[in-house]
């Protein structure tokens, strides 16, 4: 039998710190906890000149990259990097885990075969939507998703972060088995939430006597941020006690701010606070808020939703969104149809129903705030199963991992 605690893995991801998104945070938490618990894990992203990887507390093997002209990302080139191949070969790794179906992922799948070890791949994002958002071309999006399906057919085990994400991958044309491995959160309810709440309020001058709506995430149109702003415009027309806090950055940030300006909100009603890297301050911002507003139809499993839930803040989702699949309405979250009037009416209902926010916030904390400490052991157990199946399939009876 394979001992999961002795499994050595490499995580492959196209982009990494100092950029931040849900996939990067997931990989970081995998690596941090695997190494903290005596597992061995390295991360293999593209090279980024200005970031100090030693600050992460685990090994990072960067590969070369080429800058992409349209996006903020760069194209990793691991196949051209002989150094990364040598580093990986010398580590005697047991399994590769690809978190992208593109260059890092295809390299991981191919090089795992050369080394005679299995490769797991997680489907994180709605790539068809990504291509549409970047290029506007449905034809190109279909070509890319067909290539993505071919990639997932090359690996030994396919994972997704939610049932909805699995449905998306199947809609692309993938017909193989899928394992659901959900994301977690590092946030837990602090011993003194009032102190964090007070510090955040003072730092960002947030009024504590208002009805606070919060969005945390990338500032991108495909997160449904126009709907957030349009809904809030209706709320402001109805009640002057609402405030909206927008935390995060992204390549649509300038256009989103300009749209907010065009709606002529009263001064201070909508505030764009940028990215907040200080965990205690961000925790305080969640704790200050009454309702997390996350109507995204794009996200497959929003890490920020679990962060909010861990601090007792319920989320308002778009009805039918993949991100909302884990919640029960009025028990662990809220939903409304994807239009500003429905969202507006739902928010009015939520705030006018005595005790509802507190009850559903507690339900969210109990039902959906799973920690990474709970998730990672399941990941390691699944790795052990994949390795065993791979070795049986390939008649490989040798094992350095026997108990």
């Amino acid at each position: 039998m394979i001992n999961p605690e002795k499994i050595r893995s490499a995580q492959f991801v196209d982009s990494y710190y100092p950029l931040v998104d849900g996939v990067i945070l997931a990989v970081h938490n995998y690596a941090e906890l695997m190494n903290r618990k005596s597992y061995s894990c390295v991360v293999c992203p593209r090279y980024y000149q200005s970031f100090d990887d030693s600050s992460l507390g685990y090994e990072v093997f960067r590969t070369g990259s080429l800058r992409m002209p349209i996006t903020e990302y760069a194209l990793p080139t691991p196949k051209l990097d002989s150094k990364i191949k040598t580093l990986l070969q010398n580590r005697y790794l047991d399994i590769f885990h690809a978190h992208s179906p593109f260059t890092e992922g295809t390299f991981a799948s191919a090089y795992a075969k050369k080394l005679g070890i299995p490769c797991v791949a997680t489907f994180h994002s709605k790539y068809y939507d990504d291509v549409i958002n970047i290029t506007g071309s449905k034809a190109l999006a279909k070509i890319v998703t067909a290539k993505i399906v071919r990639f997932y057919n090359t690996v030994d085990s396919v994972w997704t972060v939610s049932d909805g994400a699995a449905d998306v991958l199947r809609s692309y044309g993938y017909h193989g088995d899928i394992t659901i491995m959900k994301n977690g959160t590092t946030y837990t309810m602090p011993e003194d939430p009032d102190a964090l709440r007070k510090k955040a309020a003072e730092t960002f001058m947030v009024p504590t006597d208002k009805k606070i709506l919060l969005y945390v995430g990338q500032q991108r149109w495909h997160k449904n941020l126009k709907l957030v702003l349009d809904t809030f415009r209706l709320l402001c027309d109805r009640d002057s006690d609402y405030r909206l806090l927008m935390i995060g950055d992204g390549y649509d940030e300038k256009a989103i701010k300009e749209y907010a300006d065009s709606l002529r909100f009263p001064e201070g009603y909508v505030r764009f606070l940028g990215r907040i890297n200080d965990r205690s301050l961000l925790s305080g911002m969640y704790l200050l808020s009454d309702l997390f507003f996350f109507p995204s139809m794009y996200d497959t499993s929003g890490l920020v939703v679990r962060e909010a839930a861990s601090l007792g803040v319920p989320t308002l989702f778009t009805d039918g969104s993949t991100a909302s699949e884990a919640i029960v309405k009025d028990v662990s979250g809220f939903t409304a149809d994807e239009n500003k009037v429905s969202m507006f009416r739902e928010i009015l209902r939520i705030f006018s129903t005595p005790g509802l926010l507190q009850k559903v916030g507690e339900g969210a904390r109990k039902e959906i705030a799973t920690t990474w400490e709970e998730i990672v052991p399941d990941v390691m157990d699944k790795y052990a199963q994949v390795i065993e199946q791979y070795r049986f399939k390939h008649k490989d009876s040798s094992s350095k991992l026997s108990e």
Side-chain angles (χ1 to χ4, degrees):
M1 295 291 293
I2 291 174
N3 182 350
E5 293 186 1
K6 294 184 178 181
I7 292 174
R8 295 155 299 192
S9 69
Q11 311 291 321
F12 293 82
V13 58
D14 285 337
S15 295
Y16 213 52
Y17 292 107
L19 299 175
V20 178
D21 60 23
V23 178
I24 291 169
L25 289 173
V27 173
H28 169 69
N29 282 288
Y30 270 38
E32 185 178 55
L33 282 165
M34 285 178 185
N35 286 291
R36 188 191 304 172
K37 293 178 178 292
S38 300
Y39 310 133
S40 176
C41 175
V42 300
V43 177
C44 302
R46 69 172 176 86
Y47 177 69
Y48 201 97
Q49 185 174 2
S50 62
F51 189 75
D52 178 14
D53 291 324
S54 65
S55 64
L56 295 172
Y58 49 82
E59 288 188 294
V60 178
F61 297 160
R62 298 269 183 175
T63 68
S65 61
L66 297 173
R67 187 48 121 184
M68 301 295 287
I70 301 176
T71 74
E72 63 197 81
Y73 295 106
L75 180 69
T77 55
K79 293 181 180 179
L80 305 178
D81 193 333
S82 59
K83 181 181 178 181
I84 191 71
K85 296 176 183 178
T86 301
L87 286 169
L88 292 170
Q89 188 172 5
N90 290 343
R91 286 309 173 98
Y92 301 101
L93 296 163
D94 303 295
I95 192 168
F96 284 177
H97 192 155
H99 296 269
S100 162
F102 303 114
T103 51
E104 289 286 351
T106 56
F107 168 75
S109 176
Y111 202 57
K113 289 179 173 59
K114 182 174 181 179
L115 296 179
I117 61 175
C119 181
V120 172
T122 296
F123 177 83
H124 285 278
S125 303
K126 294 181 178 178
Y127 298 107
Y128 180 91
D129 295 31
D130 287 336
V131 176
I132 292 292
N133 289 327
I134 293 172
T135 70
S137 171
K138 291 184 179 180
L140 182 58
K142 289 180 180 179
I143 292 171
V144 171
T145 51
K147 183 177 180 180
I148 287 169
V149 169
R150 289 196 294 272
F151 162 75
Y152 284 106
N153 283 326
T154 70
V155 300
D156 301 284
S157 183
V158 174
W159 299 4
T160 67
V161 294
S162 64
D163 292 317
D167 291 340
V168 171
L169 181 55
R170 291 190 180 99
S171 75
Y172 290 176
Y174 178 76
H175 301 297
D177 293 335
I178 295 176
T179 296
I180 309 299
M181 187 63 67
K182 295 181 179 180
N183 287 327
T185 179
T186 57
Y187 287 74
T188 56
M189 185 63 74
E191 292 183 3
D192 190 354
D194 289 338
L196 288 181
R197 190 180 291 113
K198 180 180 179 181
K199 180 181 178 181
E202 292 175 348
T203 300
F204 294 102
M205 295 180 289
V206 178
T208 57
D209 60 343
K210 303 299 180 182
K211 303 168 184 175
I212 305 295
L213 307 184
L214 176 69
Y215 168 83
V216 178
Q218 294 183 352
Q219 298 293 310
R220 298 186 178 184
W221 285 122
H222 66 252
K223 298 281 191 173
N224 235 348
L225 298 189
K226 184 177 184 296
L227 178 57
V228 170
L229 294 170
D230 288 344
T231 301
F232 192 69
R233 179 66 266 182
L234 294 180
L235 288 170
C236 290
D237 292 340
R238 175 67 175 263
D239 187 339
S240 62
D241 279 343
Y242 286 99
R243 297 293 184 271
L244 173 63
L245 305 177
M246 305 283 283
I247 296 175
D249 54 18
Y251 58 71
D252 291 327
E253 184 175 1
K254 183 175 182 292
I256 291 167
K257 288 180 177 178
E258 289 174 350
Y259 183 72
D261 289 341
S262 75
L263 295 177
R264 299 186 180 280
F265 293 107
E267 185 175 357
Y269 279 48
V270 177
R271 297 182 59 199
F272 291 86
L273 302 176
R275 186 195 300 181
I276 298 177
N277 293 320
D278 186 306
R279 279 174 51 86
S280 65
L281 276 179
L282 185 55
S283 294
M285 296 303 287
Y286 281 118
L287 291 164
L288 271 175
S289 304
D290 299 294
L291 180 67
F292 192 64
F293 196 3
F294 197 74
S296 172
M297 293 296 289
Y298 167 79
D299 287 79
T300 54
S301 176
L303 296 182
V304 289
V305 171
R306 286 170 169 76
E307 291 175 1
S310 70
L311 296 167
V313 184
T315 299
L316 172 58
F317 301 91
T318 297
D319 191 29
S321 64
T322 304
S324 70
E325 72 175 35
I327 68 107
V328 175
K329 185 166 184 175
D330 284 1
V331 175
S332 54
F334 304 104
T335 63
D337 290 340
E338 192 185 9
N339 64 77
K340 63 183 180 181
V341 174
S342 294
M343 291 290 178
F344 163 71
R345 289 174 176 169
E346 179 66 6
I347 292 170
L348 291 181
R349 182 188 74 87
I350 291 168
F351 279 90
S352 64
T353 305
L356 185 59
L357 276 166
Q358 183 177 358
K359 183 195 81 169
V360 177
E362 183 61 22
R365 193 173 69 83
K366 290 179 179 178
E367 299 297 328
I368 65 176
T370 308
T371 66
W372 285 112
E373 283 82 357
E374 297 171 276
I375 297 292
V376 167
D378 290 341
V379 171
M380 301 306 294
D381 288 341
K382 181 55 67 175
Y383 280 174
Q385 294 175 29
V386 172
I387 293 168
E388 286 181 343
Q389 292 167 0
Y390 179 89
R391 290 177 174 172
F392 179 80
K393 179 179 178 180
H394 293 273
K395 309 298 182 183
D396 182 3
S397 60
S398 64
S399 174
K400 300 184 183 73
L401 305 171
S402 299
E403 291 183 329

